[in-house]
Amino acid sequence: METTAPEETDGEKAPPMAPLSQLREPPATKRGARTRAALVKAARKVFERDGYLDTRLTDITKEAQCAAGSFYTYFASKEEVLAAVLLEAQEDMLHPGMRRVQGTDDPYAVLEASNRAYLEAYKRNAKLMGLLEQVAQVEPEFREFRSRRADAFIRRNARGIADLQARGVADRDVDPMMASRALSGMVSVMAYNAFVIGEQQEGGTPVDFDELVSAVTRLWANALRFPGHR
């Protein structure tokens, strides 16, 4: 199986979601490729269902409907198959960051679209995002990769904020990196609470997606003091 190349963030490649060094070369045969793909698909299902700590390799091979011993033809450990799961999912789980505002763009609309894209991707992959939080607590190597990847997009958002400051759209007295860490972290935590924990609104109803997008966008705009939000 081919792994997805790290995405570019304004010319800077984002770190992969898992250590590439843990993965073996893909199988040379079509049959081998199918078996490996089935194991990766099964692993994601079992990891999301049972959690990282409680997942057994026999659960994965049973879900993939293949012999227990065949697992070791493609993967050496639970950590390695997790790396394969994360690398396969990384493109869909990409934090798009706040894209650059062009001359005729409405900065608020660009910000809202960026937040919407991030929250949609997070919601689609909520179970896997919850798994990442668990794995980061027990596997130092995965924690390091998670931190490096998050930092890449914080830096991207900081560059976007600095660009808005240069255009006179955002408050020039705000430190771009500090603002990016605070605001990006806010959106990430709100996404985790809404889609992983299943936080509810008053009355016991799930958080409305459009209201969530609207709230985080307004908070970004207010914090950066966009025109009309000061």
Side-chain angles (χ1 to χ4, degrees):
M1 182 191 73
E2 294 182 358
T3 57
T4 305
E7 307 86 350
E8 291 189 4
T9 57
D10 290 351
E12 176 185 358
K13 286 190 174 181
M17 294 185 67
L20 293 169
S21 60
Q22 290 196 9
L23 296 178
R24 303 178 186 180
E25 289 295 319
T29 66
K30 290 183 178 180
R31 180 179 179 181
R34 286 196 301 270
T35 302
R36 186 185 186 282
L39 284 166
V40 173
K41 181 179 179 180
R44 175 168 181 169
K45 182 175 181 178
V46 176
F47 280 136
E48 291 181 345
R49 183 189 69 206
D50 299 341
Y52 178 74
L53 295 176
D54 292 332
T55 289
R56 300 174 300 175
L57 298 184
T58 52
D59 298 328
I60 295 173
T61 54
K62 182 178 178 181
E63 181 66 33
Q65 298 183 341
C66 65
S70 65
F71 178 91
Y72 295 100
T73 303
Y74 307 97
F75 303 104
S77 63
K78 184 164 69 171
E79 293 79 9
E80 186 176 338
V81 74
L82 174 62
V85 169
L86 294 175
L87 289 168
E88 186 172 278
Q90 74 175 8
E91 183 175 0
D92 192 42
M93 295 172 67
L94 169 67
H95 185 326
M98 184 177 65
R99 70 175 176 83
R100 291 298 178 91
V101 176
Q102 304 303 317
T104 59
D105 287 342
D106 174 1
Y108 193 91
V110 170
L111 177 60
E112 183 175 45
S114 299
N115 282 330
R116 182 176 295 278
Y118 170 68
L119 292 169
E120 286 174 344
Y122 202 115
K123 185 177 182 181
R124 283 195 305 271
N125 295 282
K127 290 182 179 179
L128 198 55
M129 297 300 284
L131 176 67
L132 272 173
E133 293 295 328
Q134 182 188 75
V135 173
Q137 299 303 313
V138 296
E139 294 289 351
E141 191 171 16
F142 282 89
R143 181 164 61 248
E144 178 186 353
F145 272 79
R146 176 181 176 276
S147 178
R148 286 172 53 195
R149 187 175 174 84
D151 190 61
F153 292 103
I154 287 171
R155 290 196 305 271
R156 179 187 183 182
N157 282 343
R159 291 193 296 271
I161 292 170
D163 183 63
L164 290 174
Q165 290 174 321
R167 293 169 178 264
V169 175
D171 185 356
R172 289 190 174 93
D173 292 332
V174 173
D175 179 75
M177 182 61 75
M178 187 65 72
S180 179
R181 289 194 182 280
L183 295 170
S184 301
M186 173 197 68
V187 179
S188 178
V189 170
M190 291 186 74
Y192 179 82
N193 289 342
F195 306 131
V196 177
I197 295 178
E199 187 176 66
Q200 297 183 335
Q201 302 179 105
E202 292 184 14
T205 59
V207 174
D208 181 84
F209 183 82
D210 288 331
E211 288 183 7
L212 179 59
V213 173
S214 177
V216 299
T217 302
R218 182 170 292 276
L219 289 170
W220 260 81
N222 288 349
L224 296 176
R225 303 184 70 191
F226 276 26
H229 296 270
R230 298 177 177 175

